[in-house]
Amino acid sequence: MAVREYPDVVSATGGQLSRYLWSDSLHHDVRDKFFFTKHGFVGPDVGGEGGTLDTSVGYPIVEKTELGKGRGKHIELPLLLALTGSATVGVTAMVDTAAEEALLFEYRKAYIETIRHATGYIGDMSEVRNTFLNKDNAVKQLTKWLAEQEEQMVFDAFYRGNAEHVAPSSGTTGIDRDQVLHPNWYGGGDVPAAVSATVEDAVDSNDTMGTAELERMGVWFDVNKIDPVRVPEKEGFQEGFIALLHPYQFYTLRQDPVWQSANENAGVRGFQNPLFTGAKGLWNGIFIYTSTLVENAETGRTDRTSKRKAIFFGANAILKAIGVPEAINPRQEDDYGLYRAWAISKTLGYARLDWIQDIASGPTTRNQSSAIMTTWAADPV
C-alpha cells in the first residue's frame, strides 16, 4: 500500500510537531471495523467539488475527503435540485420570461475536528512475558476504538444533526454547528403522526414496534420519494430502505402475530433471504438491523429508559467529511525506550443531510432521507 509522509511543521507557538505517517491500509482497517461499512452502507469517496452521486439508488453515508482541511474547517456537499417548472406550449415566448427556470442548489456543511487516543506500556521485559505488548496489537486496539467512536458519531448525527465532538451543545447558529433534533420525528402506535421531545410522554406500553409501524414508514418512504439504498447480498444487491432498531424494539416486533405468521409461512428462500444481507428481517421493502446505540427517549421524558428512538433511512442520509485521515504517532518522550506508546488521530465530522437552500426569503432546511420513530421498548429480561 502507498504510504504518505508529511514533513515536519511548526505550530503557531513555535513548538516542533513530530513527523507522522498514514497509509491506505490503516484507513481500510478502521473502515472494516465500522458497523456501517460492514453492511455496505458507506459509499465511495465523492472527493473534490462534486455533489451527491446518482440519487436513484445510493448509499446512506456519503463520504467526502478534502485533504488539507484542518480543525474547525468545514467540508461542503452541494445538491442540484430537479426542475419543476411547467411546460411552455407552442410558440409562446420563453426568452426573458418566467418560463426560463433558474437552476437551484442546496448544500450541507459538515464541520470537522480532530479526535485522538493513545495506548501503550512500560518496560522492555514485559515483551518476553506477554505477547500482547507490541505495536501491532496497540494499533489494532486503537483502530477498533476509532471505529467505535465513528459509529457513535453517526448516531449523534442522526439524532442531533452533527457529531458530538463538533457540536457539543444546542445553540442558535443553525444546523451547521448546533445540535438540532430531527425534523422527521414520529411516534409508534396511536401517538400523533408527528411528535417532538415534549410529547414523547404520550408513548406508552401500547405503542410498541410492530408490523403496523413498519407499514407506516413504508408509506412515508413512498410518499416522500425517498431514494432507496443498495443492500449487498451474496449475489449482487437488493434495493430497499433501512430500519435501525434497538434489540428491545426488535423483540416487540417479533411478538407481533402478523410478523410471526409472515415469517413462518412466507419466508424467502435462497440468497434473496434477508439473512444473507446481514439483516435481521425484511418487511415491506425495509431491511431491519439492530444496534445497542439506538437511544432512549429524550432526557426528561416520562419512562424515558423504556422508550427507544428507531432510525429509518434511505440513500444520502449522512455526510462523512474527512480532512486528515487516520494517523499513528509514536510517543516522542520515551525515557530511552522505557515507554512504548502510540496514538491514533483523525480529523473528521459527520452531519445529517438536512439540505439548506438559500433563497430570497432566507435559508430553508429540509430532510428527505431519514426519520426517527419513538416506541415503547422496555427490557424484556
Side-chain angles (χ1 to χ4, degrees), residues 266-333:
V268 180
R269 297 185 181 277
F271 288 127
Q272 299 299 314
N273 190 293
L275 295 179
F276 286 101
T277 68
K280 295 292 183 68
L282 172 64
W283 190 275
N284 193 23
I286 301 174
F287 290 85
I288 300 162
Y289 296 80
T290 61
S291 172
T292 57
L293 294 181
V294 171
E295 292 186 0
N296 290 113
E298 292 295 306
T299 301
R301 305 283 67 84
T302 303
D303 298 320
R304 69 175 296 268
T305 59
S306 295
K307 302 172 185 179
R308 297 283 174 170
K309 297 182 293 186
I311 304 172
F312 292 82
F313 55 89
N316 304 317
I318 295 290
L319 171 59
K320 175 183 181 180
I322 302 174
V324 180
E326 300 85 347
I328 293 293
N329 297 280
R331 195 179 198 274
Q332 297 301 303
E333 298 176 0

Side-chain angles (χ1 to χ4, degrees), residues 27-338:
H27 178 64
H28 287 287
D29 193 26
V30 173
R31 282 175 60 102
D32 290 344
K33 294 179 172 62
F34 186 39
F35 171 87
F36 294 92
T37 299
K38 288 189 292 186
H39 291 291
F41 296 159
V42 182
D45 196 314
V46 298
E49 294 298 321
T52 58
L53 303 178
D54 177 16
T55 58
S56 58
V57 180
Y59 297 90
I61 299 179
V62 180
E63 183 175 305
K64 188 171 185 181
T65 299
E66 292 186 14
L67 296 179
K69 285 288 183 76
R71 302 175 54 241
K73 304 297 184 180
H74 71 265
I75 293 176
E76 188 170 306
L77 186 69
L79 177 69
L80 179 62
L81 300 183
L83 298 176
T84 59
S86 302
T88 299
V89 180
V91 295
T92 303
M94 290 195 299
V95 177
D96 296 327
T97 72
E100 293 183 325
E101 184 176 356
L103 292 176
L104 294 178
F105 298 86
E106 294 180 336
Y107 67 91
R108 179 66 160 100
K109 296 177 182 178
Y111 280 82
I112 59 176
E113 180 57 276
T114 301
I115 62 169
R116 302 184 298 161
H117 193 45
T119 189
Y121 59 95
I122 300 174
D124 294 327
M125 292 296 293
S126 297
E127 292 183 87
V128 177
R129 302 191 303 270
N130 191 335
T131 58
F132 291 119
L133 298 182
N134 55 54
K135 179 181 178 180
D136 288 344
N137 283 312
V139 171
K140 288 179 182 178
Q141 293 301 311
L142 289 170
T143 56
K144 180 181 178 182
W145 173 86
L146 182 55
E148 291 172 349
Q149 295 298 306
E150 291 201 42
E151 286 181 17
Q152 184 61 61
M153 291 178 192
V154 174
F155 282 86
D156 289 342
F158 269 123
Y159 290 125
R160 288 172 288 280
N162 296 282
E164 180 77 16
H165 75 292
V166 298
S169 61
S170 61
T172 58
T173 58
I175 183 64
D176 282 338
R177 302 191 186 188
D178 288 335
Q179 290 186 14
V180 177
L181 296 178
H182 205 295
N184 305 323
W185 195 355
Y186 305 96
D190 58 0
V191 175
V195 304
S196 66
T198 57
V199 297
E200 276 189 314
D201 290 336
V203 175
D204 58 28
S205 58
N206 295 314
D207 306 316
T208 58
M209 181 63 68
T211 55
E213 282 63 41
L214 297 180
E215 290 288 346
R216 285 174 54 194
M217 294 312 298
V219 172
W220 181 84
F221 283 123
D222 289 341
V223 169
N224 290 280
K225 297 181 174 61
I226 308 301
D227 293 322
V229 304
R230 302 163 60 102
V231 181
E233 59 180 15
K234 293 286 185 179
E235 299 178 350
F237 68 91
Q238 297 186 53
E239 295 181 16
F241 302 98
I242 306 299
L244 199 48
L245 312 181
H246 191 275
Y248 297 168
Q249 290 177 308
F250 186 54
Y251 173 82
T252 65
L253 174 60
R254 287 181 295 161
Q255 309 312 303
D256 186 334
V258 179
W259 173 274
Q260 294 174 351
S261 177
N263 280 273
E264 289 173 359
N265 303 314
V268 180
R269 297 185 181 277
F271 288 127
Q272 299 299 314
N273 190 293
L275 295 179
F276 286 101
T277 68
K280 295 292 183 68
L282 172 64
W283 190 275
N284 193 23
I286 301 174
F287 290 85
I288 300 162
Y289 296 80
T290 61
S291 172
T292 57
L293 294 181
V294 171
E295 292 186 0
N296 290 113
E298 292 295 306
T299 301
R301 305 283 67 84
T302 303
D303 298 320
R304 69 175 296 268
T305 59
S306 295
K307 302 172 185 179
R308 297 283 174 170
K309 297 182 293 186
I311 304 172
F312 292 82
F313 55 89
N316 304 317
I318 295 290
L319 171 59
K320 175 183 181 180
I322 302 174
V324 180
E326 300 85 347
I328 293 293
N329 297 280
R331 195 179 198 274
Q332 297 301 303
E333 298 176 0
D334 60 5
D335 194 12
Y336 302 98
L338 178 63

